Amino acid sequence: MTSSTAPIRVLIVDDSAVIRGALGRIIDAERDMTVATTAPNGRLALDALKHTKVDVVLLDVEMPEMDGITALPRILSGYPDTRVIMASSITQSGAEVTLQALALGAADYITKPAARSGSSTLAAMQAEIVAKVRAIGRAAHGRSARLGTGAASKNTAGTAGGTAYTPPSALLASKHGNAAPRVLTIASSTGGPNALAEVLSGLPSDFPLPVLITQHMPAVFTGLLAQRLERDCGRPCTEAVDGEPILANHTYVAPGGFHMIVRTEEAKPYIQLTVTEPENYCRPSADPMFRSVSSIYGASTLAVVLTGMGDDGMRGARAIHERGGRVLVQDEATSVVWGMPGAVANAGLASAILPLSAIAEAIQASCGVPV
């Protein structure tokens, strides 16, 4: 069996035997994944990794002897091909610790099933767990296969969807024209918090454009994400509020549970939050944001699609593309999961496919901001 078809091997780390059993049944029910082993704490998880090949670790946060936050950097440094998904509770403290884990290098997080969860809640959790383990595990398999065959792993090479890597200095000559961007809008999901921090911290503190962000996260998390981005980037960044005006040099994060769209009143743009149906199984979803931004800003829209599973943002990117705006996407080599950016690239909608480290420079080049 080749690495691309081998089952995704999962290590489950949780001090509760009930939770280990529940997660194990979810994993083993899938034909393309299997529980490699389990451990009740971080210390024993590290011992297990010495003897067992693992693609994905489902890692609890609070455990005796060694908790998840302590174990995480040790797992990532000792087993760099292994991806870690944190198992988190949706609470203020759980969200804070989870964002800390993501900053330390965790690929994503899942909502840990509670002992008294109802059947509908458990079904939603099961779908989330399976989707994330599958997407992250397959991406890990694909990276291992590329490196194992000696394929190019440098971030400045390669093509996708007919669009080659474009040096940031060449972006002003884009085939989409030279309309000066008046807004920057960004979509991200799996791996997004760290990618957002890297891109936004690479922009100058006086970066003039307003920035609108849709990151797939629950309500408790998005406010904390905005706080982190403000600390990292040195510019105002807040969770968006319904009806507030869109200001230059300000970053707005769509709140969990709401789509964030742009409206105008007396030619002045403002934010509207809606609870219309989820799109691409998401709310917030990037597609409504991209569509509304393109309808207001037209060819002066600059969009970025960062790492994430699924294809949210692809249809909205088409609207931006058709109105003459530009869409930059993160490349596969630097994405945790090349779902969202890959969908845009493979649809032929990407103005450029760039390694994460080059995106801030590309944004500045597109805007005529000195690098």
Side-chain angles (χ1 to χ4, degrees):
M1 185 176 286
T2 66
S3 61
S4 60
T5 59
I8 299 162
R9 295 174 59 83
V10 181
L11 164 60
I12 298 172
V13 189
D14 197 293
D15 60 320
S16 166
V18 173
I19 296 297
R20 292 198 304 273
L23 292 174
R25 287 189 292 275
I26 291 171
I27 297 300
D28 280 336
E30 302 300 314
R31 298 172 64 180
D32 59 344
M33 56 186 73
T34 186
V35 176
T37 188
T38 66
N41 59 57
R43 182 182 64 80
L44 292 176
L46 287 165
D47 288 342
L49 284 166
K50 295 176 184 177
H51 311 289
T52 307
K53 175 177 171 50
V54 170
D55 301 304
V56 177
V57 179
L58 293 180
L59 183 63
D60 190 22
V61 173
E62 297 182 5
M63 295 176 290
E65 294 195 51
M66 184 184 290
D67 62 23
I69 294 296
T70 303
L72 173 62
R74 302 185 188 190
I75 294 171
L76 295 176
S77 62
Y79 308 91
D81 290 335
T82 299
R83 301 291 179 264
V84 179
I85 301 175
M86 304 304 294
S88 170
S89 59
I90 301 298
T91 63
Q92 181 76 15
S93 61
E96 290 171 353
V97 173
T98 301
L99 284 176
Q100 180 185 353
L102 294 175
L104 289 171
D108 208 339
Y109 63 93
I110 58 168
T111 304
K112 192 165 72 169
R116 296 184 179 180
S117 297
S119 57
S120 60
T121 300
L122 286 172
M125 289 177 178
Q126 179 172 339
E128 176 194 21
I129 291 165
V130 168
K132 290 187 174 182
V133 170
R134 178 171 289 132
I136 291 168
R138 284 180 176 172
H141 275 183
R143 177 173 174 78
S144 296
R146 288 192 301 274
L147 295 177
T149 58
S153 59
K154 293 184 179 180
N155 298 336
T156 56
T159 61
T163 305
Y165 168 77
T166 306
S169 60
L171 290 174
L172 290 178
S174 167
K175 63 183 178 181
H176 295 298
N178 293 313
R182 294 189 294 124
V183 66
L184 172 62
T185 183
I186 306 177
S188 55
S189 183
T190 310
N194 287 348
L196 286 166
E198 180 164 345
V199 170
L200 295 180
S201 63
L203 301 175
S205 59
D206 59 351
F207 181 71
L209 270 58
V211 182
L212 306 178
I213 296 171
T214 288
Q215 160 70 39
H216 298 160
M217 275 186 158
V220 178
F221 287 72
T222 46
L224 294 171
L225 175 63
Q227 292 174 21
R228 174 193 168 184
L229 293 176
E230 182 169 276
R231 288 194 305 268
D232 289 349
C233 307
R235 292 185 303 280
C237 179
T238 56
E239 189 176 50
V241 175
D242 187 58
E244 70 176 318
I246 295 175
L247 304 176
N249 189 238
H250 198 109
T251 300
Y252 305 86
V253 176
F258 294 87
H259 298 309
M260 178 172 67
I261 61 177
V262 180
R263 295 284 187 246
T264 58
E265 184 173 337
E266 297 180 351
K268 295 181 178 179
Y270 68 92
I271 286 172
Q272 183 177 56
L273 302 179
T274 75
V275 289
T276 53
E277 288 298 311
E279 294 192 30
N280 310 304
Y281 308 101
C282 305
R283 193 173 64 209
S285 165
D287 276 337
M289 178 182 70
F290 279 176
R291 288 195 304 267
S292 71
V293 169
S294 69
S295 70
I296 301 297
Y297 293 92
S300 295
T301 302
L302 177 61
V304 176
V305 181
L306 299 173
T307 174
M309 57 187 286
D311 64 357
D312 187 34
M314 188 269 287
R315 295 161 190 82
R318 188 178 300 282
I320 293 170
H321 179 84
E322 289 174 350
R323 288 180 169 88
R326 293 178 180 169
V327 185
L328 313 178
V329 304
Q330 185 176 350
D331 71 356
E332 184 173 8
T334 62
S335 295
V336 174
V337 177
W338 207 55
M340 289 166 53
V344 174
N346 290 324
L349 303 172
S351 304
I353 300 170
L354 300 159
L356 182 62
S357 60
I359 291 176
E361 182 183 351
I363 291 169
Q364 293 176 80
S366 294
C367 299
V369 175
V371 178

